[in-house]
Amino acid sequence: MPPLHVAESAAHSAAAAAPSAAESLQSLVGVWAQQRLRAGDAAGKLYDELLAQVEPPLLEAALKRHHGQCAAAARALGMHRTTLKKKLDQYGIEGDD
């Protein structure tokens, strides 16, 4: 069994080498976009398709963090409450008024 300082150093190196969530998201979006563009069937709607993939989990996470309160979630997201409400309606997501 290696000494504790060696194991800690290895764990720290592995954590430092692991991509951050933001880097992973960027990479996944890049791969997705390349595949969709290569397929050629997303003409004129690729941006909307991306938003439909990423907005719902973002909105749901903000609502969960703020216990369903739209005003607080909207502030955290940097948008107006009415904009958030429109997006919630668009995706069929429930939130408090």
Side-chain angles (χ1 to χ4, degrees):
M1 186 162 152
L4 182 58
H5 71 279
V6 173
E8 288 174 350
S9 177
H12 179 70
S13 295
S20 70
E23 290 169 336
S24 295
L25 178 60
Q26 287 176 342
S27 177
L28 289 170
V29 170
V31 169
W32 176 86
Q34 289 174 4
Q35 289 174 346
R36 297 296 291 134
L37 289 167
R38 195 174 308 119
D41 60 351
K45 59 184 179 178
L46 190 60
Y47 184 75
D48 289 335
E49 286 183 20
L50 174 66
L51 291 181
Q53 294 296 315
V54 299
E55 277 188 323
L58 175 64
L59 302 177
E60 289 169 343
L63 282 171
K64 183 177 179 181
R65 170 69 176 89
H66 294 283
H67 310 289
Q69 296 178 0
C70 288
R75 278 193 301 275
L77 292 168
M79 65 175 61
H80 195 276
R81 186 184 61 81
T82 56
T83 302
L84 176 58
K85 286 297 292 174
K86 287 178 186 176
K87 290 186 174 291
L88 294 176
D89 290 344
Q90 174 184 348
Y91 296 116
I93 300 170
E94 295 290 324
D96 294 341
D97 285 332

